[in-house]
Amino acid sequence: MEKTFLMVKPDGVQRNLVGEIVNRFERKGFKLVGAKLMQISEELASEHYGEHKERPFFGELVEFITSGPVFAMVWEGEKVISTAREMMGKTNPAEALPGTVRGDFGVTVGKNVIHGSDSPESAEREINLFFNQNELISYSKQD
Ligand code: CMP
């Protein structure tokens, strides 16, 4: 079954949106298989956002994501990678539709509340970057 990595960013944690966001994915019917509140190191942030290294906003991105705790999660379900991206909305909250996480709660492109893997390859990479195998729980759950 497909898995994806989602993370409530420091602005989402500060604004008490962790419960709201977990609730949306639970209600949708996806299965939470791993979760933790964590403070990201600069090293982990640089690795996670490695593909953006050459972008002018890279420094800002690393500074922001390490500025406070994040809530990291692994969710499982059919087509969870693409469906979670749709539920998150466009990267820029100004363009994200109402009903999506960023459309409902996002303010700026930097402070856009949530991160989610954009492909099966990045999901695998990001899950392994943030979680040890023994932190992912395998269990059965009714649909
Ligand atoms: P995320 O999905 O976490 O992946 C990369 C992040 O870069 C993205 O969300 C945005 O928060 C951030 N980002 C994209 N464009 C800009 C920008 N112009 N200025 C600051 N941050 C940006």
Side-chain angles (χ1 to χ4, degrees), residues 9 49 52 57 60-61 91 102 109-110 112 115:
K9 297 187 181 185
Y49 281 132
H52 300 296
F57 57 84
E60 208 179 298
L61 191 56
T91 303
R102 288 163 172 164
V109 71
N112 63 356
H115 168 85

Side-chain angles (χ1 to χ4, degrees), residues 23-115:
N23 190 239
R24 288 184 178 214
F25 291 95
E26 279 190 318
R27 279 188 318 191
K28 174 69 180 167
F30 290 131
K31 181 159 63 162
L32 185 63
V33 296
K36 57 184 170 183
L37 186 71
M38 59 189 290
Q39 174 68 50
I40 302 186
S41 66
E42 240 182 83
E43 192 185 6
L44 176 57
S46 301
E47 191 155 357
H48 172 62
Y49 281 132
E51 64 179 299
H52 300 296
K53 219 160 212 149
E54 305 308 322
R55 306 271 191 110
F57 57 84
F58 182 71
E60 208 179 298
L61 191 56
V62 170
E63 192 180 336
F64 173 61
I65 209 72
T66 58
S67 67
V70 300
F71 192 68
M73 301 166 277
V74 178
W75 288 87
E76 187 178 283
E78 209 169 299
K79 296 212 167 145
V80 68
I81 299 171
S82 56
T83 306
R85 295 276 298 181
E86 282 181 34
M87 291 170 67
M88 285 161 47
K90 289 198 173 173
T91 303
N92 185 351
E95 295 168 6
L97 293 175
T100 64
V101 174
R102 288 163 172 164
D104 290 347
F105 305 114
V107 182
T108 64
V109 71
K111 293 184 178 173
N112 63 356
V113 188
I114 187 169
H115 168 85

